[in-house]
Amino acid sequence: MDGASAMDTPAVRALEHQYRRLRRQQALVTLVCISVFVACVVGASVVTGVTPIRVIRGLPGLGGYFAETVPDISLATFFADIAAWYADFWHWLGLLFDTMLIALMASLTGVVGALLLSFSASRNLMSNTPIYFASRRLLELARTVPEVVYALIFVVAFGVGPLAGYLALSVHSIGGLGKLYAEVNENIDTRPVEGLAAAGGNWFERIRYAVVPQVLPGYTSYTLWRVELNLRAAAIVGFVGAGGIGQELYTAISWNNYQDVSAILIMLVTTVIVLDLTSEVMRNRLLGREKN
Amino acid sequence: MALTAASITPEEMDRLQANYPRAFKRPWWEQARQWAVWSALLAFVGYCLVRFDAAPGRIWDGLSELGVILSAMVPPTFGAAPSGLFWALLESLTMAFLGTLTAALLAIPLGIMGARNIIPNWVFHFVLRRHFDGIRGIDPLVWALVYVRAVGLGPIAGTLAIATSDTGTLAKLYAEAIETADSGQAEGVAATGAGRSIVIRLGVLPQVLPVMLSNALYMFESNTRSATILGIVGAGGIGFELSDRIRAHRWDEVGMIIIMIVVTVALIDGLSHLIRKRFIEGGKNRPLVRTDEAT
């Protein structure tokens, strides 16, 4: 403290006082945050009954489950074992194809629906407030309800099969894409729109020739991302009977066909990873070209 | 000089057409390509509709059935046991919370290990990163179904499912955050002779912690959505009540549960947005001591 006393001027003292006060204040805020957080954790544990002990007790069962899914493969009969493991390969590949079709078709429908709704849901393009408001709420409703819930309801209405899954994903895609498209629309330069309006262009002409050229890169990026998302979703809507590989996976897990579970999951994860990489390459090519 | 249609002479028109053919008519191969793209798209849609068995009759029957369902949802009611529904919703929320928390904690060491600048061995990096991809490539609902078989019905399965799927996602995001962190600070700390752990704690962590917290909050938002549906496979929460009501065709209660889910998701989104603005993004540039107050 001897070194400090040489600097012991009123200004320094005031600064240090201020510094300590703020540190105390900060410590108090941190303490309150930590207490609230701990209370949340304890409360959550009480509600769900999820305690570290019960989780740890469950882990051996989990290890056992995964051990069961490992196929019996010996080096001597390697290819025969693989063939036995993937005996249903072509059947599963067909179902995986179904899942991909569901995802692609739903994305396509989502793009069309989102195009129809996003322009009227953009503040700067739609001056009619009731239509703007209605479009916004419609998009919100479509994307807030989970896909699986739509699938559950559509399976009742349209029957079991890929049609229900396709429709469920379509509704959700329209909502999700519509909102993102509307955000892109709201960030455009308005001068081309004004120019066309000045030249006597009607609403559709203004959208087609002044807005669409500006928003296309943003749309492309969001659409590719949506296709990835839909592929994952298409795989799981099958759980509630909406077709594709998910339905087969559900059956395999429910009937404890352990080796089928691992075989299908490997196919599914490989497909998802390959398509993610493809869409990344496509995005770089499409958007990289726009920039240059 | 303004060019209007009336002021252009026919000769001038011919000259313009000769000089700028593409402004008047596109060459045939471009038109053909456009036709090919559109026909391929139409063929694809047609093929899909046939494969999905989407005959007009079936669509029509489905839509009228959907109309019946939707009109049966109005007015929505809580049914016999409203408290049970709220309890199930609370269970969903807590599953999301505990699952995200577990994942966020597990992902810290994994993310540090997966960062190229912390462990430069590319084989290790590649193998670990592909593991993250594999884990997050499987949806929480799939994990939930597996966990229900492995540890039994109930919220433990749901919490573990969320935790597993998110550990993969968050570990990847954390590793990326660490890789993009400015190396200057870490080098500065290392220059003082600090060990590896100190360099991570003082040179890297302060840069990546806000990113980590922000990502964890985003995951909590998306997990709230997941947690509301995990119950469909028996992993606890409101999803079980929902699928139960749908199977029993009690549409008025289904309507109410959907409203509850939508409102809860909106509330959590708002809350998480508020926390991010207030504590993570807003607090970053606030100086500890304001000079005007100190003097």
Side-chain angles (χ1 to χ4, degrees):
Chain A
M1 278 300 168
D2 286 331
S5 65
M7 304 266 293
D8 197 10
T9 64
V12 170
R13 238 177 295 142
L15 180 83
E16 286 194 337
H17 177 73
Q18 177 73 9
Y19 178 76
R20 272 195 296 274
R21 198 171 64 82
L22 282 168
R23 284 300 289 230
R24 267 201 306 277
Q25 229 172 40
Q26 216 174 35
L28 194 70
V29 170
T30 310
L31 198 69
V32 169
C33 285
I34 290 178
S35 331
V36 169
F37 190 71
V38 169
C40 282
V41 174
V42 173
S45 287
V46 171
V47 170
T48 52
V50 179
T51 56
I53 298 163
R54 288 186 63 189
V55 169
I56 289 167
R57 222 182 283 155
L59 287 182
L62 201 61
Y65 188 91
F66 284 114
E68 292 266 22
T69 63
V70 177
D72 324 304
I73 292 178
S74 63
L75 272 180
T77 53
F78 184 75
F79 292 106
D81 286 344
I82 294 280
W85 188 27
Y86 273 103
D88 284 335
F89 181 76
W90 294 108
H91 175 55
W92 290 336
L93 204 63
L95 290 172
L96 204 55
F97 183 62
D98 267 355
T99 301
M100 279 165 67
L101 286 187
I102 292 175
L104 286 175
M105 259 303 268
S107 306
L108 195 65
T109 316
V111 168
V112 174
L115 280 176
L116 289 176
L117 282 167
S118 71
F119 295 112
S120 54
S122 308
R123 187 73 274 195
N124 53 345
L125 301 176
M126 179 44 76
S127 45
N128 184 332
T129 306
I131 295 182
Y132 163 78
F133 205 72
S135 316
R136 278 264 147 166
R137 291 294 89 74
L138 202 62
L139 290 176
E140 221 159 69
L141 185 73
R143 72 169 180 276
T144 326
V145 178
E147 297 101 332
V148 180
V149 175
Y150 283 124
L152 271 170
I153 295 173
F154 289 164
V155 163
V156 176
F158 292 91
V160 171
L163 181 63
Y166 153 62
L167 290 172
L169 290 190
S170 297
V171 173
H172 205 261
S173 299
I174 291 174
L177 280 178
K179 180 208 170 211
L180 293 170
Y181 285 5
E183 271 170 16
V184 175
N185 293 342
E186 285 179 346
N187 287 326
I188 59 163
D189 183 0
T190 52
R191 281 172 299 186
V193 186
E194 285 157 16
L196 267 171
N202 65 26
W203 194 80
F204 290 102
E205 286 163 351
R206 291 206 295 274
I207 298 290
R208 170 64 188 87
Y209 295 105
V211 179
V212 171
Q214 290 191 59
V215 295
L216 224 48
Y219 281 15
T220 314
S221 171
Y222 282 132
T223 307
L224 280 173
W225 170 77
R226 188 73 216 185
V227 174
E228 288 173 38
L229 211 70
N230 275 347
L231 184 76
R232 287 156 205 264
I236 63 155
V237 288
F239 275 35
V240 296
I245 193 83
Q247 214 166 327
E248 187 78 5
L249 182 61
Y250 186 81
T251 317
I253 297 178
S254 306
W255 291 1
N256 286 337
N257 296 334
Y258 295 106
Q259 304 200 353
D260 285 2
V261 173
S262 57
I264 295 175
L265 275 182
I266 288 171
M267 280 178 80
L268 191 59
V269 171
T270 312
T271 314
V272 168
I273 291 178
V274 167
L275 284 180
D276 274 9
L277 292 176
T278 316
S279 103
E280 205 180 305
V281 170
M282 270 174 80
R283 178 177 296 130
N284 288 341
R285 279 186 58 180
L286 286 171
L287 299 180
R289 205 168 53 197
E290 295 283 346
K291 267 182 210 133
N292 298 336
Chain B
M1 186 192 84
L3 272 178
T4 61
S7 73
I8 300 175
T9 59
E11 297 81 60
E12 210 168 352
M13 196 71 191
D14 291 340
R15 191 180 57 79
L16 283 171
Q17 278 204 2
N19 286 347
Y20 308 101
R22 289 178 60 86
F24 293 89
K25 194 169 184 297
R26 280 182 306 164
W28 66 268
W29 63 85
E30 274 190 19
Q31 287 187 14
R33 200 177 60 187
Q34 198 171 20
W35 272 102
V37 168
W38 283 107
S39 338
L41 203 65
L42 262 178
F44 172 74
V45 169
Y47 174 73
C48 283
L49 290 179
V50 170
R51 204 175 157 100
F52 295 165
D53 192 17
R58 192 172 166 212
I59 299 268
W60 180 250
D61 289 347
L63 283 177
S64 53
E65 177 72 29
L66 198 62
V68 172
I69 291 174
L70 286 178
S71 58
M73 282 187 188
V74 185
T77 58
F78 281 112
S83 61
L85 292 187
F86 282 107
W87 184 258
L89 193 62
L90 191 64
E91 199 173 76
S92 281
L93 271 180
T94 54
M95 275 158 52
F97 179 68
L98 287 179
T100 315
L101 181 64
T102 314
L105 293 178
L106 285 177
I108 292 175
L110 288 173
I112 292 173
M113 282 198 287
R116 212 191 306 257
N117 49 351
I118 303 278
I119 297 181
N121 182 331
W122 75 268
V123 177
F124 181 80
H125 172 83
F126 183 83
V127 171
L128 197 65
R129 281 296 190 86
R130 292 296 86 73
H131 271 89
F132 297 164
D133 286 345
I135 291 172
R136 77 197 168 86
I138 300 174
D139 195 88
L141 202 64
V142 180
W143 285 115
L145 195 56
V146 169
Y147 282 126
V148 164
R149 298 279 134 189
V151 300
L153 292 166
I156 291 196
T159 309
L160 283 174
I162 291 173
T164 313
S165 174
D166 275 19
T167 303
T169 314
L170 284 177
K172 174 187 176 269
L173 291 172
Y174 288 3
E176 276 168 5
I178 295 170
E179 279 174 3
T180 53
D182 178 16
S183 61
Q185 295 185 24
E187 282 161 18
V189 178
T192 64
R196 193 162 198 83
S197 59
I198 302 285
V199 170
I200 292 174
R201 166 66 188 84
L202 295 177
V204 181
L205 215 55
Q207 291 187 63
V208 297
L209 206 60
V211 183
M212 287 181 170
L213 274 177
S214 191
N215 279 325
L217 268 173
Y218 270 122
M219 290 318 291
F220 178 56
E221 275 177 55
S222 95
N223 286 337
T224 311
R225 291 159 205 264
S226 311
T228 57
I229 56 163
L230 290 184
I232 290 169
V233 296
I238 189 94
F240 173 72
E241 312 285 337
L242 181 67
S243 63
D244 181 52
R245 302 296 191 282
I246 289 177
R247 270 182 212 122
H249 290 209
R250 272 146 63 189
W251 299 112
D252 47 346
E253 290 170 46
V254 171
M256 186 54 91
I257 293 175
I258 291 177
I259 291 173
M260 285 167 76
I261 291 177
V262 168
V263 169
T264 310
V265 167
L267 281 179
I268 293 292
D269 280 8
L271 189 71
S272 139
H273 186 74
L274 202 74
I275 294 178
R276 256 203 311 277
K277 272 265 159 337
R278 173 78 181 77
F279 289 102
I280 299 174
E281 280 145 24
K284 209 163 45 187
N285 298 320
R286 212 168 36 195
L288 187 60
V289 178
R290 285 224 301 276
T291 43
D292 55 322
E293 270 182 50
T295 47

